[in-house]
Amino acid sequence: HNPLEPLIDFALGELAFSTGEYQKAIPYYEKVYANQPIVAGVEVGSRLAESYASTGEFEQAIEYYQATDSDDPDTLFRYGFIAYRADRIDISIKMWEQLLEKDPNYQSVYLYLAQSYELEGMVQEAYNTAVKGLKVDEFNKELYHLAGVLAHRIGDEKESIRLVKEAISIDPGFKEAVLFLIESYKQVENN
């Protein structure tokens, strides 16, 4: 048994991975992972999770993420995202909440977490998350739009209109936001 073998397999896995040949990388990583879950400071399990996710095998990817006990914010973000793609919203929420405890300034997570709460019918949590997100990411038109829609859903029309106007001031061509605003004004007139 050659002690260099795992390193060679790892290197071949990394090579395939770096050129986007995920299907090719998987068997190399699998061989290494069986004996050595961490090589040169790299969690082989995360690489496997990424590779499986990139080939569309989300369930497989989730299993590897569950096995890696990484609390690296980027890993938590990707794990949450893959769970989201696999319709495991419960896992996404857990990972993204964990991520925000570690790093509340991780901007890109707020929109996804708010959308996940909304999908689970947790409208108030979704709204609170979107509003928190706007404190760290104040030029995110999607986040303003979502916060506005959620404000409408919890019955705060004034805030809803204010937030959606912000989205439009960032991007005057933001069609969904403009249409939402027109609808809102119509409803106000009819009441």
Side-chain angles (χ1 to χ4, degrees), residues 11 15-16 58 69 74 88 91 111 139 149 158 161 170 172 191:
L15 189 64
F58 298 119
D69 192 27
D74 292 332
R88 289 299 309 276
I91 295 176
L111 182 66
F139 299 109
V149 170
K158 249 171 74 177
I161 286 172
I170 293 168
N191 285 341

Side-chain angles (χ1 to χ4, degrees), residues 1-64:
H1 180 70
N2 182 346
L4 283 178
E5 216 175 295
L7 279 176
I8 293 165
D9 283 333
F10 180 71
L12 291 168
E14 289 287 271
L15 189 64
F17 186 85
S18 67
T19 57
E21 297 177 272
Y22 302 107
Q23 204 67 61
K24 209 165 135 187
I26 289 171
Y28 291 118
Y29 286 141
E30 292 274 13
K31 264 166 75 180
V32 179
Y33 185 77
N35 306 303
Q36 232 175 311
I38 294 179
V39 178
V42 175
E43 291 237 20
V44 183
S46 304
R47 286 286 201 272
L48 274 165
E50 295 278 310
S51 300
Y52 276 117
S54 301
T55 60
E57 295 183 60
F58 298 119
E59 287 303 322
Q60 212 45 48
I62 288 172
E63 274 174 39
Y64 277 105

Side-chain angles (χ1 to χ4, degrees), residues 25 28 36-37 50 65 79-81 86 127 136 161:
Y28 291 118
Q36 232 175 311
E50 295 278 310
Y65 270 126
Y79 181 4
F81 191 68
Y127 175 69
V136 293
I161 286 172

Side-chain angles (χ1 to χ4, degrees), residues 55-144:
T55 60
E57 295 183 60
F58 298 119
E59 287 303 322
Q60 212 45 48
I62 288 172
E63 274 174 39
Y64 277 105
Y65 270 126
Q66 278 168 339
T68 56
D69 192 27
S70 173
D71 57 4
D72 164 62
D74 292 332
T75 305
L76 291 171
F77 181 74
R78 287 197 297 267
Y79 181 4
F81 191 68
I82 284 162
Y84 185 82
R85 297 274 309 269
D87 279 327
R88 289 299 309 276
I89 307 300
D90 54 327
I91 295 176
S92 324
I93 288 175
K94 216 170 79 182
M95 289 307 119
W96 289 336
E97 284 174 345
Q98 228 175 303
L99 164 55
L100 286 179
E101 275 168 34
K102 288 233 160 331
D103 181 3
N105 293 319
Y106 201 102
Q107 295 182 341
S108 41
V109 80
Y110 285 95
L111 182 66
Y112 289 116
L113 181 56
Q115 287 170 334
S116 299
Y117 282 137
E118 188 187 16
L119 285 170
E120 294 290 285
M122 301 159 79
V123 180
Q124 188 65 54
E125 282 89 343
Y127 175 69
N128 296 348
T129 302
V131 170
K132 262 188 229 148
L134 288 170
K135 291 190 175 77
V136 293
D137 190 5
E138 67 261 46
F139 299 109
N140 187 327
K141 63 178 187 181
E142 269 96 13
L143 207 47
Y144 273 111

Side-chain angles (χ1 to χ4, degrees), residues 178-189:
V178 172
L179 292 172
F180 181 85
L181 199 60
I182 292 169
E183 270 311 301
S184 298
Y185 284 139
K186 275 191 202 154
Q187 282 177 3
V188 170
E189 272 170 32

